[in-house]
């Protein structure tokens, strides 16, 4: 498994191969968030720039700022001489500062390709897939069986850990990128799977 990770995915599970990793914390992040960059921007008081750095890789910044299991902190270089930096808490600080200042601008809207994509489920994977497909010019539609978008973020994480109004901000960020989210639609019951394969790329 480790060999395949190195060869096919260009990942080093042990975080020791310097030719594969930029920084240990960024390498361990499942989506490659540039933690050293946004931490440096926070230190300079450039909170909006820090927020934009976070959002560049992650259209759900409120979610990760509150419920990420922060594997980055286990290999924090600063922790070699003292305690590891509280990377998730710093992310939360930057995100909260940006939201309080009203700095949640809409994402860029590229020229459309005209191709439609269907996504089943509006959990974190569905929302991320829709967002990044929209940034490439596709027209994604997410079909969600629940009445509210979020999937596991709604059903598996209590509101005291992930306030629903902050989750709604992240979902709206995905919508503003050009993603249509249809809630209360169960694939196989309310819409046939064959209709998706026929009408979507």
């Amino acid at each position: 498994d480790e060999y395949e990770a190195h060869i096919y995915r260009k990942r080093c599970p042990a975080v020791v191969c310097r030719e594969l990793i930029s920084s240990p914390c960024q390498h361990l992040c499942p989506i490659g968030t540039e933690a050293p960059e946004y931490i440096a921007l926070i230190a300079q008081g450039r909170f909006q720039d820090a927020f934009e750095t976070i959002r560049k890789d992650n259209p759900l910044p409120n979610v990760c700022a509150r419920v990420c299991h922060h594997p980055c902190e286990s290999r924090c270089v600063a922790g070699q001489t003292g305690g590891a930096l509280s990377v998730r808490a710093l992310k939360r600080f930057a995100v909260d500062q940006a939201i309080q200042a009203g700095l949640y601008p809409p994402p860029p809207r590229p020229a459309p390709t005209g191709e439609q994509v269907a996504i089943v489920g509006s959990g974190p994977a569905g929302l991320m897939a829709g967002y990044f497909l929209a940034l490439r010019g596709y027209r994604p539609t997410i079909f969600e069986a629940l009445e509210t978008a979020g999937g596991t973020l709604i059903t598996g994480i209590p509101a005291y850990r992930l306030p629903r109004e902050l989750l709604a901000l992240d979902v709206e960020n995905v919508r503003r990128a050009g993603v249509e989210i249809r809630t209360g639609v169960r694939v196989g019951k309310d819409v046939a799977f064959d209709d998706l394969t026929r009408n979507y790329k």
Side-chain angles (χ1 to χ4, degrees):
D1 290 342
E2 284 195 8
Y3 174 80
E4 289 186 355
H6 283 78
I7 301 303
Y8 298 119
R9 297 192 303 275
K10 304 299 184 219
R11 305 287 295 175
C12 175
V15 196
V16 294
C17 298
R18 292 293 175 196
E19 65 273 11
L20 292 181
I21 66 174
S22 53
S23 63
C25 54
Q26 182 177 350
H27 184 75
L28 282 173
C29 177
I31 59 173
T33 303
E34 298 171 7
E37 182 176 338
Y38 75 73
I39 290 170
L41 291 168
I42 291 170
Q44 296 169 29
R46 296 167 56 188
F47 305 135
Q48 182 178 4
D49 292 335
F51 176 69
E52 289 301 327
T53 299
I54 293 165
R55 197 173 72 145
K56 178 176 57 121
D57 298 314
N58 186 357
L60 309 173
N62 281 298
V63 172
C64 284
R66 284 162 174 79
V67 298
C68 175
H69 66 291
H70 51 80
C72 51
E73 294 180 18
S74 69
R75 291 297 180 110
C76 177
V77 174
Q80 294 174 353
T81 56
L85 295 178
S86 297
V87 180
R88 184 181 67 188
L90 288 167
K91 179 185 292 181
R92 180 172 174 172
F93 171 79
V95 172
D96 287 350
Q97 289 292 314
I99 290 171
Q100 289 171 11
L103 303 174
Y104 207 143
R109 297 290 290 270
T113 64
E115 295 180 344
Q116 299 184 86
V117 178
I119 299 170
V120 179
S122 69
L127 292 170
M128 294 276 283
Y131 181 84
F132 286 111
L133 284 167
L135 293 189
R136 293 180 179 215
Y138 294 95
R139 290 173 47 206
T141 301
I142 298 177
F143 296 89
E144 171 57 56
L146 299 175
E147 295 299 325
T148 306
T152 305
L153 302 174
I154 292 283
T155 61
I157 301 174
Y160 71 85
R161 282 292 309 277
L162 180 60
R164 298 308 182 232
E165 65 275 11
L166 295 178
L167 174 59
L169 277 177
D170 286 354
V171 171
E172 184 59 27
N173 180 49
V174 172
R175 280 194 172 102
R176 292 192 303 171
V179 180
E180 180 184 356
I181 302 175
R182 297 185 189 173
T183 57
V185 178
R186 186 178 298 278
V187 174
K189 179 181 178 184
D190 302 312
V191 60
F193 187 78
D194 288 344
D195 290 341
L196 299 187
T197 58
R198 183 167 48 249
N199 299 321
Y200 293 87
K201 180 77 172 179

